[in-house]
PDB file of all heavy atoms in Angstrom:
ATOM      1  N   TYR Q 330      26.155 -53.521  -1.312  1.00 95.00           N
ATOM      2  CA  TYR Q 330      26.372 -53.018   0.045  1.00 95.00           C
ATOM      3  C   TYR Q 330      25.440 -51.830   0.240  1.00 95.00           C
ATOM      4  O   TYR Q 330      24.919 -51.276  -0.730  1.00 95.00           O
ATOM      5  CB  TYR Q 330      27.840 -52.660   0.309  1.00 95.00           C
ATOM      6  CG  TYR Q 330      28.401 -51.545  -0.526  1.00 95.00           C
ATOM      7  CD1 TYR Q 330      28.517 -50.248  -0.017  1.00 95.00           C
ATOM      8  CD2 TYR Q 330      28.847 -51.763  -1.824  1.00 95.00           C
ATOM      9  CE1 TYR Q 330      29.046 -49.223  -0.783  1.00 95.00           C
ATOM     10  CE2 TYR Q 330      29.371 -50.740  -2.590  1.00 95.00           C
ATOM     11  CZ  TYR Q 330      29.469 -49.475  -2.065  1.00 95.00           C
ATOM     12  OH  TYR Q 330      29.989 -48.457  -2.824  1.00 95.00           O
ATOM     13  N   TYR Q 331      25.205 -51.467   1.488  1.00 96.00           N
ATOM     14  CA  TYR Q 331      24.128 -50.529   1.795  1.00 96.00           C
ATOM     15  C   TYR Q 331      24.652 -49.383   2.648  1.00 96.00           C
ATOM     16  O   TYR Q 331      25.556 -49.563   3.474  1.00 96.00           O
ATOM     17  CB  TYR Q 331      23.008 -51.233   2.570  1.00 96.00           C
ATOM     18  CG  TYR Q 331      22.525 -52.504   1.903  1.00 96.00           C
ATOM     19  CD1 TYR Q 331      23.127 -53.735   2.173  1.00 96.00           C
ATOM     20  CD2 TYR Q 331      21.478 -52.482   0.991  1.00 96.00           C
ATOM     21  CE1 TYR Q 331      22.702 -54.893   1.558  1.00 96.00           C
ATOM     22  CE2 TYR Q 331      21.040 -53.641   0.361  1.00 96.00           C
ATOM     23  CZ  TYR Q 331      21.663 -54.847   0.650  1.00 96.00           C
ATOM     24  OH  TYR Q 331      21.240 -55.991   0.035  1.00 96.00           O
ATOM     25  N   LEU Q 332      24.057 -48.240   2.442  1.00 96.00           N
ATOM     26  CA  LEU Q 332      24.323 -47.105   3.327  1.00 96.00           C
ATOM     27  C   LEU Q 332      23.029 -46.795   4.071  1.00 96.00           C
ATOM     28  O   LEU Q 332      21.985 -46.561   3.449  1.00 96.00           O
ATOM     29  CB  LEU Q 332      24.775 -45.873   2.527  1.00 96.00           C
ATOM     30  CG  LEU Q 332      24.886 -44.576   3.340  1.00 96.00           C
ATOM     31  CD1 LEU Q 332      25.972 -44.688   4.414  1.00 96.00           C
ATOM     32  CD2 LEU Q 332      25.188 -43.382   2.445  1.00 96.00           C
ATOM     33  N   HIS Q 333      23.101 -46.800   5.373  1.00 95.00           N
ATOM     34  CA  HIS Q 333      21.956 -46.412   6.200  1.00 95.00           C
ATOM     35  C   HIS Q 333      22.205 -44.976   6.665  1.00 95.00           C
ATOM     36  O   HIS Q 333      23.250 -44.684   7.237  1.00 95.00           O
ATOM     37  CB  HIS Q 333      21.858 -47.362   7.401  1.00 95.00           C
ATOM     38  CG  HIS Q 333      20.945 -46.871   8.489  1.00 95.00           C
ATOM     39  ND1 HIS Q 333      21.151 -47.155   9.809  1.00 95.00           N
ATOM     40  CD2 HIS Q 333      19.818 -46.104   8.451  1.00 95.00           C
ATOM     41  CE1 HIS Q 333      20.197 -46.599  10.542  1.00 95.00           C
ATOM     42  NE2 HIS Q 333      19.387 -45.947   9.744  1.00 95.00           N
ATOM     43  N   TYR Q 334      21.252 -44.098   6.405  1.00 94.00           N
ATOM     44  CA  TYR Q 334      21.380 -42.697   6.840  1.00 94.00           C
ATOM     45  C   TYR Q 334      20.027 -42.296   7.426  1.00 94.00           C
ATOM     46  O   TYR Q 334      19.125 -41.876   6.708  1.00 94.00           O
ATOM     47  CB  TYR Q 334      21.747 -41.804   5.650  1.00 94.00           C
ATOM     48  CG  TYR Q 334      22.299 -40.449   6.047  1.00 94.00           C
ATOM     49  CD1 TYR Q 334      23.645 -40.167   5.905  1.00 94.00           C
ATOM     50  CD2 TYR Q 334      21.467 -39.471   6.578  1.00 94.00           C
ATOM     51  CE1 TYR Q 334      24.166 -38.938   6.274  1.00 94.00           C
ATOM     52  CE2 TYR Q 334      21.970 -38.248   6.951  1.00 94.00           C
ATOM     53  CZ  TYR Q 334      23.318 -37.988   6.795  1.00 94.00           C
ATOM     54  OH  TYR Q 334      23.823 -36.756   7.170  1.00 94.00           O
ATOM     55  N   TRP Q 335      19.885 -42.476   8.708  1.00 91.00           N
ATOM     56  CA  TRP Q 335      18.641 -42.185   9.421  1.00 91.00           C
ATOM     57  C   TRP Q 335      17.417 -42.839   8.753  1.00 91.00           C
ATOM     58  O   TRP Q 335      17.242 -44.029   8.901  1.00 91.00           O
ATOM     59  CB  TRP Q 335      18.448 -40.667   9.587  1.00 91.00           C
ATOM     60  CG  TRP Q 335      19.477 -40.096  10.509  1.00 91.00           C
ATOM     61  CD1 TRP Q 335      20.719 -39.638  10.174  1.00 91.00           C
ATOM     62  CD2 TRP Q 335      19.395 -39.976  11.945  1.00 91.00           C
ATOM     63  NE1 TRP Q 335      21.396 -39.227  11.291  1.00 91.00           N
ATOM     64  CE2 TRP Q 335      20.612 -39.414  12.390  1.00 91.00           C
ATOM     65  CE3 TRP Q 335      18.417 -40.273  12.893  1.00 91.00           C
ATOM     66  CZ2 TRP Q 335      20.865 -39.163  13.735  1.00 91.00           C
ATOM     67  CZ3 TRP Q 335      18.669 -40.007  14.231  1.00 91.00           C
ATOM     68  CH2 TRP Q 335      19.885 -39.458  14.637  1.00 91.00           C
ATOM     69  N   ARG Q 336      16.645 -42.110   7.994  1.00 92.00           N
ATOM     70  CA  ARG Q 336      15.442 -42.717   7.412  1.00 92.00           C
ATOM     71  C   ARG Q 336      15.712 -43.353   6.052  1.00 92.00           C
ATOM     72  O   ARG Q 336      14.832 -43.932   5.456  1.00 92.00           O
ATOM     73  CB  ARG Q 336      14.352 -41.632   7.235  1.00 92.00           C
ATOM     74  CG  ARG Q 336      13.791 -41.117   8.535  1.00 92.00           C
ATOM     75  CD  ARG Q 336      12.527 -40.326   8.309  1.00 92.00           C
ATOM     76  NE  ARG Q 336      12.730 -39.132   7.519  1.00 92.00           N
ATOM     77  CZ  ARG Q 336      12.154 -38.901   6.350  1.00 92.00           C
ATOM     78  NH1 ARG Q 336      11.376 -39.795   5.806  1.00 92.00           N
ATOM     79  NH2 ARG Q 336      12.367 -37.765   5.720  1.00 92.00           N
TER      80      ARG Q 336
END
Side-chain angles (χ1 to χ4, degrees):
Chain Q
Y330 64 100
Y331 308 89
L332 172 64
H333 166 211
Y334 197 107
W335 293 88
R336 291 194 297 119

